[in-house]
């Protein structure tokens, strides 16, 4: 009985160490993502908490569970190393996938279409090369040279807010003085500008 207790005590120690190291890594990654990618209220534009919850549940909970299950002092050192490398590979893969999904929720650009402003995320943008800025949608006139392409894109079920071919560069100063609301997946978000930085706040409406 004492031997079993020693084995489980060792497993608990390894699992706890795994949990602590995972928590430190996820905290560092989380702080970087929040303050570099979603600063000045950009987290209001997407369900960042939901995405973070999925990553945490996989890397911070599933990882230690796998450690407790697969690692054991009664196994050989080679077996434990192989199992540990497998766990690390699975966790890094899921973390990389999660970061990629979060990256896709970053703001790509803001487009004005039919008197409304829309915040488009990178995952919804057809062209990653469109830099974060304000744009106006310039619908081509009927019979014009570009109208054929416009009609073709509509038939492909591409909404105008993704038709970067017809975007005209604008700016916050031209569109939003002193404030304007943009339509996002999370409702209306207000945008202001301070010290040349766009700030996003939830609408009180």
């Amino acid at each position: 009985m004492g031997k079993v207790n020693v084995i489980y005590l060792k497993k608990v120690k390894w699992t706890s160490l795994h949990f602590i190291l995972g928590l430190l890594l996820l905290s560092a990654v989380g702080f970087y993502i929040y303050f570099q990618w979603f600063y000045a209220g950009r987290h209001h534009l997407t369900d960042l908490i939901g995405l973070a919850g999925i990553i945490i549940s996989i890397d911070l909970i599933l990882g230690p569970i796998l450690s407790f299950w697969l690692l054991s002092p009664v196994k050989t050192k080679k077996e434990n190393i192989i199992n540990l490398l497998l766990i690390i590979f699975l966790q890094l893969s899921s973390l990389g996938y999660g970061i990629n999904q979060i990256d896709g929720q970053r703001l790509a650009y803001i487009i004005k279409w039919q008197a409304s402003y829309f915040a488009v995320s990178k995952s919804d943008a057809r062209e990653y090369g469109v830099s974060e800025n304000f744009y106006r949608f310039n619908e081509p006139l009927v019979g014009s040279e570009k109208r054929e392409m416009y009609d073709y894109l509509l038939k492909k079920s591409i909404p105008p807010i993704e038709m970067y071919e017809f975007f005209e560069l604008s700016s916050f100063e031209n569109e939003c003085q002193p404030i304007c609301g943009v339509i996002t997946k999370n409702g209306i978000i207000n945008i202001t500008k301070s010290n040349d930085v766009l700030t996003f706040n939830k609408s009180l409406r």
Side-chain angles (χ1 to χ4, degrees):
M1 188 69 180
K3 186 178 180 181
V4 173
N5 288 336
V6 170
I7 291 173
Y8 276 97
L9 182 61
K10 195 74 172 179
K11 278 176 164 284
V12 169
K13 286 182 178 179
W14 288 349
T15 301
S16 300
L17 179 61
H18 191 148
F19 178 84
I20 292 171
L21 292 176
L23 179 62
L24 291 174
L25 175 62
L26 284 178
S27 297
V29 172
F31 274 109
Y32 177 83
I33 287 175
Y34 185 82
F35 290 106
Q36 295 296 321
W37 291 0
F38 295 94
Y39 60 95
R42 280 166 169 75
H43 62 279
H44 291 308
L45 302 175
T46 186
D47 184 19
L48 186 62
I49 294 178
L51 289 171
I54 295 173
I55 296 174
I56 290 173
S57 64
I58 293 175
D59 283 299
L60 200 58
I61 298 176
L62 185 59
I65 289 175
L66 288 174
S67 287
F68 187 84
W69 178 38
L70 295 176
L71 303 182
S72 173
V74 298
K75 292 182 179 180
T76 66
K77 184 178 181 180
K78 183 179 179 180
E79 287 179 308
N80 280 324
I81 289 176
I82 291 174
N83 288 334
L84 181 60
L85 290 176
L86 176 62
I87 294 169
I88 292 174
F89 173 76
L90 291 173
Q91 286 193 275
L92 290 179
S93 297
S94 64
L95 179 60
Y97 176 78
I99 290 175
N100 184 63
Q101 294 300 305
I102 291 177
D103 178 61
Q105 297 305 308
R106 295 168 65 183
L107 176 65
Y109 55 83
I110 298 168
I111 179 71
K112 182 180 182 180
W113 177 64
Q114 293 187 347
S116 296
Y117 296 93
F118 296 84
V120 179
S121 65
K122 290 177 67 176
S123 62
D124 292 329
R126 288 174 52 237
E127 176 57 58
Y128 269 33
V130 179
S131 60
E132 180 183 315
N133 214 321
F134 280 82
Y135 297 87
R136 291 178 180 175
F137 181 77
N138 184 21
E139 182 176 337
L141 297 174
V142 176
S144 66
E145 209 173 290
K146 290 186 175 182
R147 187 70 186 195
E148 187 176 340
M149 179 186 288
Y150 173 73
D151 292 336
Y152 170 77
L153 292 173
L154 284 179
K155 288 179 181 178
K156 298 281 286 185
S157 300
I158 297 173
I161 60 173
E162 295 179 24
M163 296 183 188
Y164 64 88
E165 294 90 345
F166 309 111
F167 288 2
E168 289 183 348
L169 184 63
S170 187
S171 66
F172 173 85
E173 289 73 19
N174 291 334
E175 305 294 340
C176 297
Q177 289 289 11
I179 187 175
C180 68
V182 297
I183 299 172
T184 74
K185 294 177 180 178
N186 287 339
I188 303 295
I189 301 296
N190 289 329
I191 302 180
T192 57
K193 191 172 186 179
S194 177
N195 298 323
D196 292 326
V197 176
L198 294 178
T199 302
F200 299 78
N201 297 289
K202 279 192 173 180
S203 173
L204 297 178
R205 290 186 298 173

